[in-house]
Structures are given as C-alpha cells and as structure tokens.
Amino acid sequence: MTMTTFTETTRTRGRPREFDRDAALDKALQVFSERGYHAASISELTEAMGLASGSVYKAFKDKRGIFLAAFDRYRTVRRGMLDARMAKVETGRDKIRQVLTHYALSSHGTCGRRGCLVVGSANDLALFDEEAAERVAAAFAANETLIADLLRLGQSDGSISREIDVAATARTLLCVTKGMRVVGKTGRHEDDMAAVAETAMKLLV
C-alpha cells in the first residue's frame, strides 16, 4: 500500500527542520501500544519519534495531541490494509472472511501483544476525554457499518443467507473482531485466532 508522506516544518537555531510526520507518528504508535496512554511519557515519545521536544510541542502541543494524531494515523493505516485485502475478492462473504482474517493475523505475535489502539483507548483515555471518546465511538461505528454493508452485499450476491439479521450479526462480528485484539494480548497462537475467524464465519450460514 502506498502511503502519502507529509512533513512538518519547525525551526532549530533559525533554520527550518523537516520531519516525516507519518513516520514520527508510527513510532509514537508503538510507544502508546506498548505502554498505554498514561504510562507513556513525553520523553519516551520524543525519543521514539526522533525529534527534539521543541519540535514535538510545536507540531502537536502536548502528549494528548500526539496521541490524537497517532490515533487518526492508526485508523488510516489499518483501514488501508483492510481495503487492500478486501479488494482481492468479490463476494460479500469472501470480504467478510478477509475482515476476520485481518483481525486474526493482528491478534497473535508481537502485533497481538501490543493490542488494538482503538480498543485500548476505549479503556485508557475515552472515559475522561470527550474528544477521544468521540474518536473511539466513530471508529467502532465505522467498523460496524462496514461489516453491515458487506453482509448486505453478500445477501445481494447470494453468498450470505438472506435469513440473517444484518444489524445483529454486524454488531456480533464487531464484538468478535475487537475481542480478538483483546485476547491476542495474552500471547495466543496464530492457529487459535484463525479458528476464531473460521467459527465466526458460521454465523453467515
């Protein structure tokens, strides 16, 4: 997947300094995913991002600003990965399978232990930060809408039973996918998560 590169310009001793915003946010994401919002310190973030503190404060203002920008970056990257995977198949059923596989592959190994920034944020920051809560709610809603749209596509192309309740099934699959990211933090094996995805597909019969 091709990513658009953005740059931020700051000044150090009167000279402009450019840095790759997306690359810096990707480094910040690793810190937030491993440490959580509260435990991540601004010094850890600036070191990971490879930036001077002045550059970070000018571009993002504070730790919260870094987190919100990293959260948006995370959603963009993850959705791009998912779109690329879904583009390989045609039917609604196969696209749902790709969604579940996408989450299964993200729920084991190093990525699995880091967990999902969206799920983590729901517990870590959204409880007392209205803007963060709105972002988390929007992320969950977007995922549920995507799944519902794919279910309807499957019903129209004949790959998914017309008897299933689209709204209830979409909500169930949302819970399954997010639950996989939580369980993945415990160090599950790839085969364990693949079996979850395969079992969830039985809801479409």
Side-chain angles (χ1 to χ4, degrees):
M1 179 180 60
T2 301
M3 289 292 174
T4 303
T5 300
F6 298 93
T7 59
E8 290 282 347
T9 301
T10 60
R11 291 187 176 276
T12 304
R13 295 181 181 177
R15 294 184 178 181
R17 178 189 176 193
E18 292 187 347
F19 67 85
D20 186 323
R21 179 185 175 92
D22 287 348
L25 289 175
D26 288 341
K27 295 295 185 181
L29 275 168
Q30 293 182 23
V31 176
F32 284 126
S33 295
E34 293 170 358
R35 302 279 290 157
Y37 177 78
H38 295 297
S41 68
I42 193 69
S43 60
E44 287 176 315
L45 290 164
T46 54
E47 181 179 356
M49 296 166 80
L51 301 173
S53 58
S55 297
V56 171
Y57 285 119
K58 185 169 183 179
F60 304 106
K61 295 185 179 180
D62 53 21
K63 184 173 79 168
R64 178 179 177 276
I66 299 172
F67 177 82
L68 293 178
F71 184 92
D72 292 342
R73 166 71 176 162
Y74 177 83
R75 285 193 61 198
T76 298
V77 171
R78 293 287 297 178
R79 181 56 190 264
M81 293 170 62
L82 183 55
D83 285 345
R85 181 176 289 277
M86 291 190 297
K88 298 177 182 179
V89 296
E90 297 295 329
T91 69
R93 183 183 184 83
D94 285 341
K95 289 181 186 294
I96 290 287
R97 185 182 295 279
Q98 290 298 324
V99 171
L100 291 167
T101 299
H102 173 75
Y103 278 92
L105 291 173
S106 301
S107 301
H108 70 89
T110 300
C111 183
R113 286 189 293 273
R114 285 177 178 165
C116 174
L117 190 64
V118 175
V119 174
S121 303
N123 293 321
D124 209 13
L125 182 60
L127 292 177
F128 62 88
D129 188 304
E130 184 176 351
E131 186 175 357
E134 290 175 353
R135 274 175 159 82
V136 171
F140 283 134
N143 287 351
E144 187 172 347
T145 297
L146 170 64
I147 295 170
D149 288 344
L150 295 178
L151 291 172
R152 294 188 186 96
L153 174 63
Q155 288 182 328
S156 66
D157 65 29
S159 63
I160 293 176
S161 171
R162 290 184 176 274
E163 300 301 316
I164 69 167
D165 183 321
V166 168
T169 304
R171 196 171 306 116
T172 300
L173 291 177
L174 174 69
C175 293
V176 169
T177 54
K178 297 308 179 186
M180 289 167 75
R181 298 306 308 275
V182 174
V183 174
K185 290 178 70 68
T186 65
R188 293 302 181 113
H189 192 272
E190 180 178 358
D191 290 344
D192 296 334
M193 308 319 291
V196 173
E198 193 60 36
T199 299
M201 287 296 297
K202 296 178 181 179
L203 295 172
L204 310 185
V205 175

